[in-house]
Amino acid sequence: MSSGAQLAATGSPFAPAAGIEETCGHPDGVRATARIRATYNGRVTTLPQLRSDGPFHLRRMRTSGKTARVGIIGAMSAPLGGDRLALDITAEDRAELDVTTAAATLALRGPTTAPATYDVRLTAGEHARLRWLPQPLISAADSNLQQTYTVSLAATSRLLLREEQILGRANEKPGHLVSRIRVHRAGRPLLDQHTAYGDPAPGWDGPAVLDGHRAVGQLLVVDPELDVSRAPILLREATEDGCAVLAPLAGGPALLATAVAPTSSALRELLDEALRHALGE
């Protein structure tokens, strides 16, 4: 059964990115922080904290082994201009947690041109496993969104993070989308990546960036047992279905795949292929 079908039937050590307080104080915006906390009781992973808020409705999903699974259902249209939204997700020591969303997230303009912010904070303790696998984020015309991932990992924790962004709906230009991924492992920086798409970002659609593609994504795999003694791998070079590169990160046992594609389905295929290479399958 798919995640969508099943859905139908506490704090991070990092502060929000600089400037959030100034840019998201519009009185018309929604302020919401949903929280998920998973703990291991010696047999299975439990969910002592599952706090829905604003547009985030959290649902327990059918478990698999000792892994807890949570689905996020959108309870209202969000993010809109001026919104300040946050997800705070923690897998404590030895917990195993999978989090997904029931549908794509659609960024819209809303009643104000002020930017919306969407802050996802992920924390994994010692020997924990955290998988963040949402559906794509769609940047609709005239929207303005600043999305930030802030990830804190212990030295022995494992992470799988997938980010997919669709720039514009059918036959429309995208809004302005700024995304940043900051990852610390064992207190040391592992990744700090900043991207910007849509006007007024310069050159975002040029041959050195997206080359006309409208779907872009990243896949980050962190695992102490990961084989990172490899050269970067280029997937589907010079094809009309997009391409991806899978490369090791210097700061730890981690592999990062970055992909561009003409459609969301082609992007997902590329990221799935990159994950198989990362896991040696």
Side-chain angles (χ1 to χ4, degrees):
M1 183 181 293
S2 69
S3 297
Q6 292 185 35
L7 284 171
T10 16
S12 167
F14 296 101
I20 285 181
E21 294 294 341
E22 291 75 11
T23 59
C24 61
H26 196 281
D28 293 336
V30 173
R31 308 294 182 267
T33 299
R35 301 182 187 277
I36 303 170
R37 183 166 62 91
T39 62
Y40 182 60
N41 66 6
R43 185 173 60 88
V44 295
T45 299
T46 63
L47 297 168
Q49 184 177 41
L50 203 62
R51 179 179 179 271
S52 301
D53 193 18
F56 303 118
H57 180 64
L58 308 181
R59 292 284 299 273
R60 288 179 171 85
M61 298 173 64
R62 182 176 299 173
T63 59
S64 176
K66 69 175 186 178
T67 301
R69 303 181 67 212
V70 176
I72 302 173
I73 300 174
M76 64 179 73
S77 294
L80 306 177
D83 288 352
R84 180 183 178 181
L85 308 178
L87 284 169
D88 203 330
I89 302 171
T90 299
E92 296 187 351
D93 293 354
R94 299 187 180 278
E96 296 188 3
L97 175 63
D98 292 356
V99 184
T100 187
T101 59
T105 298
L106 180 61
L108 298 167
R109 175 181 174 177
T112 172
T113 58
T117 64
Y118 184 14
D119 186 19
V120 180
R121 300 186 287 267
L122 306 174
T123 303
E126 297 290 351
H127 301 285
R129 191 197 73 177
L130 177 57
R131 304 201 322 160
W132 168 249
L133 300 171
Q135 298 301 318
L137 168 68
I138 302 172
S139 175
D142 299 321
S143 64
N144 189 354
L145 178 62
Q146 299 173 2
Q147 178 176 264
T148 302
Y149 286 96
T150 306
V151 184
S152 176
L153 304 175
T156 56
S157 57
R158 294 173 290 163
L159 172 74
L160 176 58
L161 182 153
R162 184 182 67 212
E163 178 191 42
E164 298 172 317
Q165 300 161 337
I166 310 303
L167 304 177
R169 294 169 293 189
N171 300 318
E172 76 170 7
K173 294 181 179 180
H176 183 51
L177 175 61
V178 177
S179 179
R180 185 178 182 184
I181 302 177
R182 298 183 297 166
V183 183
H184 280 66
R185 178 177 178 270
R188 298 175 62 87
L190 177 64
L191 175 67
D192 193 337
Q193 177 175 282
H194 182 277
T195 56
Y197 306 107
D199 296 334
W204 66 274
D205 198 24
V209 186
L210 296 185
D211 195 22
H213 292 301
R214 283 295 182 267
V216 59
Q218 285 75 230
L219 182 82
L220 175 62
V221 184
V222 183
D223 191 327
E225 299 181 359
L226 198 63
D227 177 17
V228 293
S229 59
R230 63 178 77 185
I233 300 173
L234 187 60
L235 305 175
R236 302 189 189 181
E237 182 180 10
T239 70
E240 295 182 354
D241 292 329
C243 63
V245 61
L246 177 68
L249 297 181
L255 293 169
L256 176 67
T258 301
V260 295
T263 64
S264 60
S265 58
L267 177 67
R268 179 66 61 84
E269 290 177 2
L270 274 168
L271 294 178
D272 286 346
E273 184 177 346
L275 179 60
R276 290 192 294 270
H277 278 279
L279 300 180
E281 297 178 355

